[in-house]
Amino acid sequence: MTEKKIVSETLYDGYAQSFEVSELLFEFRTEHQHLEIVETPFMGRVMLLDGIVQTTEKDEFIYHEMMVHLPLFAHPNPRRVLIIGGGDGGILREVLRHKNVEHVTQVEIDQSVIDMCKTYFPKHSDGAFDDPRANIVIGDGKDFVANCQDTFDVIISDSTDPIGPGEVLFTSDFYADEKTCLNPGGIMVAQNGVPFMQGQEVTNTHRRLSKLYQDASFYVAPVPTYIGGFMTLAWATDDASLRQQTPADIAPRIAAAGFATRYYNADIHVAAFALPNYVRALLS
Ligand code: SAM
């Protein structure tokens, strides 16, 4: 009987998820991080950066739909979008499904992630990197927003966790520079961890964003391979009415967009902003 090969995530001391691995497809230490791509019988292909699960073929739709369609349908007329991180291409793919989006700039620090995800996760980007509306910048998101000449209606920060190259994307300086890239009435959303496991990240982000925006809060999405319960996605805008929209406001925009989703819908859009008391208690 051949021994099963198991890969365990190394994000938390004393608690982990493990994957049976049928094949190690790629492994390389880039100039920024350790990149692994494995084939698993249960979740399909899985990418890890510095031992932390970034995306899987089986559950990526939940995260990418919630990070993209909630802000883009909340915004009355999103034309220009900035993506920070997102090297696997899933965010870019979903943004480009919105035909009213005219331009997307994506700032990704690691070219290797884009290259390897094009090869091993072709459905994630699904040709998005070649879309004429997409402008791909290889660089640090921190530097980009600090020197930003363009402005955007929606900014989506799809970074790794605040360790390694992603750490700078959770600082007050970054958030302040990032806001200079946002048009009036714009929306910023960001991956902000799993509150049951990383509650301090919610407190820190809320404190920092509340100093910059009229409305700073979170919405939730249950991504199975971001373990420990649902994850919180940071939300910030100076137009507080955008978080108060009803399914009746959102549903017509979804219908007009003319594409199907597997997780996101108008009721989920509104319900996602409802935070349980233990998460409310984390808000500074
Ligand atoms: N969905 C994942 C999550 O929630 O953890 C994130 C996936 S995506 C692969 C994360 C991307 O952020 C990676 O491609 C990584 O290279 C990129 N990244 C990390 N730090 C960055 C920085 N400072 N500037 C731009 N991209 C960065």
Side-chain angles (χ1 to χ4, degrees), residues 32-73:
H32 299 287
Q33 49 212 341
H34 182 213
L35 170 57
E36 296 170 280
I37 298 174
V38 295
E39 187 75 66
T40 77
F42 193 79
M43 278 288 177
R45 291 182 175 176
V46 177
M47 173 173 66
L48 303 99
L49 288 174
D50 293 334
I52 301 168
V53 171
Q54 299 299 306
T55 191
T56 84
E57 282 183 313
K58 193 167 183 180
D59 70 0
E60 60 89 5
F61 70 95
I62 301 170
Y63 175 80
H64 291 130
E65 286 184 15
M66 287 302 282
M67 279 283 275
V68 171
H69 302 315
L70 189 140
L72 263 66
F73 284 126

Side-chain angles (χ1 to χ4, degrees), residues 5 20 22-23 43 45 63 83 90 112 120 126 142-144 151-152 163 169 177-178 181 189 206 237 253 255 269:
K5 176 159 175 43
E20 179 189 344
S22 47
E23 189 180 352
M43 278 288 177
R45 291 182 175 176
Y63 175 80
I83 301 168
S112 301
Y120 292 106
D126 199 21
K142 170 179 69 69
D143 300 335
F144 181 87
T151 57
F152 302 90
I163 39 185
L169 304 181
D177 289 341
E178 183 184 48
C181 309
V189 298
H206 188 251
T237 178
R253 295 178 189 164
H269 178 118

Side-chain angles (χ1 to χ4, degrees), residues 8-29:
S8 290
E9 184 179 42
T10 57
L11 180 55
Y12 304 110
D13 292 334
Y15 182 83
Q17 67 181 325
S18 299
F19 299 90
E20 179 189 344
V21 169
S22 47
E23 189 180 352
L24 173 61
L25 297 170
F26 183 79
E27 183 179 9
F28 179 60
R29 187 164 293 284

Side-chain angles (χ1 to χ4, degrees), residues 163-218:
I163 39 185
E167 190 169 6
V168 294
L169 304 181
F170 292 80
T171 63
S172 299
D173 288 348
F174 170 76
Y175 292 135
D177 289 341
E178 183 184 48
K179 190 177 183 196
T180 68
C181 309
L182 201 55
N183 287 326
I187 300 169
M188 186 286 285
V189 298
Q191 180 287 100
N192 207 90
V194 174
F196 187 77
M197 311 292 281
Q198 303 164 304
Q200 192 58 45
E201 283 182 34
V202 171
T203 304
N204 294 343
T205 298
H206 188 251
R207 184 175 64 249
R208 293 165 184 160
L209 291 177
S210 297
K211 289 179 183 154
L212 293 165
Y213 290 92
Q214 296 297 317
D215 184 40
S217 188
F218 297 86

